[in-house]
Each structure stands twice: as structure tokens, then as C-alpha cells.
Amino acid sequence: MKKEPNKKAIGLFLVIGFALFVGLIGQAVFHKIHADTKDVVVMYFNESTQGLTEGSSVLFQGVEVGKVTRVVLVADTTNWKFNVAVYARIKKQLDMMSEGSVLTKFWKKENVLGRLIENGMRARLASQSLLTGQLMIELVMLPETKAKFEYPEHDRFEQIPTVASQWEELYRGLNRINIQEALEKINTVTEVLGRELPILLPALTTSAQNLDRTMARVAQSSDVTLSNMNAALSDMSDAAKSAQNLTDYLEMHPEALLKGKKGE
């Protein structure tokens, strides 16, 4: 009599085989996803990112080192704070010099990105085209700024701290100026000038007229003084010429000191 196969053993074998197959597929998918995301960074901006889209450039020292892959609005309902999360893929290959050798693997054990962040690398928005309003992300070295990390416990990507863009800094500076207070001060100065000018103008006019008369007298006196000085200088010149003539005569006729001039 032919022995029937053990259906339980066959079923268990099929289940184990299917589980192994699913596990292998899952592992392959995990490695694929991990490989695709390990070079992704995130940056949080608390200003308008209008003009920044998927595919926008990420530049460092004017060289494109990555591309924006996703722009997402993040809302924190605990304090109703809104940030824009920008995800970008950084190039895997990046030539960097370190102790005389060239590092070509950006994400290897050297952890170049982490060291750059520690030394002041920050991300900020910059204009890529004034005509179209397109934005890009610029990586800059600002070691004097403090690194601020948003939601570090909720993100699995390397985060690059951000700083305000140059136009955002200008806008914030203008907002810090109290326009109403400045206008009130201008109005106060205008009112004071309106009250004081009718009193000051006649006095200023009189002072100007007195100054003109004084300058005229000084000019007249200066003319007389210059004339007298010129006359004195002319007399001194004549006396010098006479002295020179006498000296020349005595050199030629030294006996004149004893006998006097001839004919005298």
C-alpha cells in the first residue's frame, strides 16, 4: 500500500519557503531604500520658500553638490509653528583633500558632512534667477553662527542647520524699526522748526548782514595793510641796493675810508 505524503510537513515546508522568499524580497527592498536615502539630507526653513522646487540646485562654493528632492510644509500644533522641510540628495562622490589624500566617498567613515556642520556649514536660500524668481540652496561656512536643529528626534536623515537668507535678514531688520515712532519724532522736529524758524530767521539775517560788513572792513583794512607792506618792502629793497653799491665802491677804493671821495 502506497504511503500518503505528510500534508502537514509539505504545508510547513511551503510556509517556511514562502516566508524566506518574502524575507529576501523585504531585505532587498530595505537595502534599496536605504541606499537611496543614505545620501539624503533635510533642512528646515522658517521663511517663504516660494520659487524652490523639486530639482532646484544645492550649491557649495559655487559648485553644485546636490538637488532638492522634496519640499514639505511641517506644522507643530503645540505652538502653531510652521517650518518648511526641504529634502535634498547630496552627490555620493565629492573630491576633498584631507592630510594629503583625496576623499572620494562622501558618506564613508570620515563623516565629512558632520565635520563640516561642526565647523560652521549652514544652508540658506539664495536667488538662482531674478527674472523667474527661482530659488536654490546655498551651503555656506558661518562658524560664528549657532547650529540649530529642528525636530532631531523625528528625522532619520542628516540635518543641515539653516540661517536666514540675506533678503530675509533685511526684511527682519526693517521690521524691527518702529515706523510709527520714527514718524512721530519727525513730526515733533517739524513742529519745533515751525515755531522757532520765524524767530530765528530775522536774527540769522541780521547776523549775516553784520558778518558781511565785518568782512568788507577786513578786506578794506587788508588792502591798506598790503599797500603799506609793499611800500616798506620797496624801501628795504632800495636800502639794500644802496648798501650793496657802497660795499662794491669800498672794495674798489679802500682809501676812500681815509681820504673820502675824490672831489670832496
Side-chain angles (χ1 to χ4, degrees):
M1 184 178 178
K2 189 176 180 180
K3 187 177 180 181
E4 293 184 2
N6 191 334
K7 295 182 178 180
K8 290 183 178 181
I10 294 174
L12 181 62
F13 177 79
L14 290 175
V15 169
I16 293 174
F18 181 76
L20 289 174
F21 177 73
V22 170
L24 290 174
I25 293 178
Q27 186 178 14
V29 171
F30 172 79
H31 284 299
K32 175 64 176 174
I33 293 174
H34 181 69
D36 288 342
T37 59
K38 70 178 182 178
D39 55 347
V40 173
V41 297
V42 63
M43 296 152 283
Y44 291 95
F45 296 95
N46 61 352
E47 59 182 291
S48 174
T49 58
Q50 184 178 2
L52 190 73
T53 59
E54 218 176 283
S56 293
S57 298
V58 180
L59 269 65
F60 181 43
Q61 300 290 346
V63 178
E64 185 177 89
V65 295
K67 292 279 190 181
V68 172
T69 58
R70 193 158 55 109
V71 181
V72 182
L73 182 65
V74 179
D76 186 352
T77 55
T78 57
N79 53 12
W80 293 105
K81 179 181 177 182
F82 295 89
N83 285 308
V84 180
V86 178
Y87 296 88
R89 188 182 303 279
I90 304 297
K91 291 181 179 180
K92 296 178 181 179
Q93 302 288 331
L94 182 63
D95 293 341
M96 297 189 70
M97 297 300 297
S98 176
E99 298 177 357
S101 61
V102 178
L103 302 177
T104 57
K105 298 295 185 180
F106 192 70
W107 290 99
K108 292 301 181 181
K109 61 182 181 180
E110 293 290 343
N111 188 21
V112 176
L113 182 61
R115 290 161 60 191
L116 286 172
I117 292 172
E118 290 177 1
N119 284 276
M121 174 180 275
R122 306 290 180 260
R124 68 182 178 191
L125 298 173
S127 176
Q128 184 168 350
S129 173
L130 294 175
L131 293 177
T132 62
Q134 187 175 359
L135 297 180
M136 63 181 181
I137 294 178
E138 185 181 23
L139 302 179
V140 292
M141 299 302 294
L142 299 172
E144 70 279 2
T145 60
K146 183 179 180 181
K148 183 180 179 182
F149 296 93
E150 301 283 353
Y151 322 113
E153 67 279 4
H154 299 299
D155 226 312
R156 59 192 177 92
F157 301 107
E158 183 84 36
Q159 184 179 155
I160 300 178
T162 62
V163 293
S165 61
Q166 293 176 324
W167 61 82
E168 181 68 15
E169 288 284 358
L170 178 61
Y171 176 74
R172 292 176 184 177
L174 292 175
N175 277 346
R176 285 193 290 268
I177 299 175
N178 192 326
I179 303 298
Q180 185 63 34
E181 183 179 347
L183 290 175
E184 289 176 357
K185 289 181 178 179
I186 293 173
N187 289 334
T188 301
V189 172
T190 304
E191 291 174 0
V192 171
L193 289 176
R195 289 195 308 267
E196 299 297 333
L197 276 179
I199 301 172
L200 292 175
L201 283 177
L204 291 174
T205 303
T206 302
S207 298
Q209 292 173 350
N210 293 335
L211 181 60
D212 287 340
R213 287 194 292 270
T214 302
M215 293 300 294
R217 287 197 298 270
V218 170
Q220 186 177 4
S221 300
S222 298
D223 290 340
V224 174
T225 302
L226 288 174
S227 178
N228 293 335
M229 185 177 293
N230 287 333
L233 289 174
S234 179
D235 292 342
M236 291 176 64
S237 178
D238 292 340
K241 288 180 180 178
S242 298
Q244 183 64 41
N245 291 335
L246 177 60
T247 303
D248 292 341
Y249 179 81
L250 291 175
E251 286 181 354
M252 296 175 62
H253 306 283
E255 68 278 4
L257 290 173
L258 300 174
K259 299 178 180 181
K261 286 185 178 181
K262 292 182 179 181
E264 289 185 358

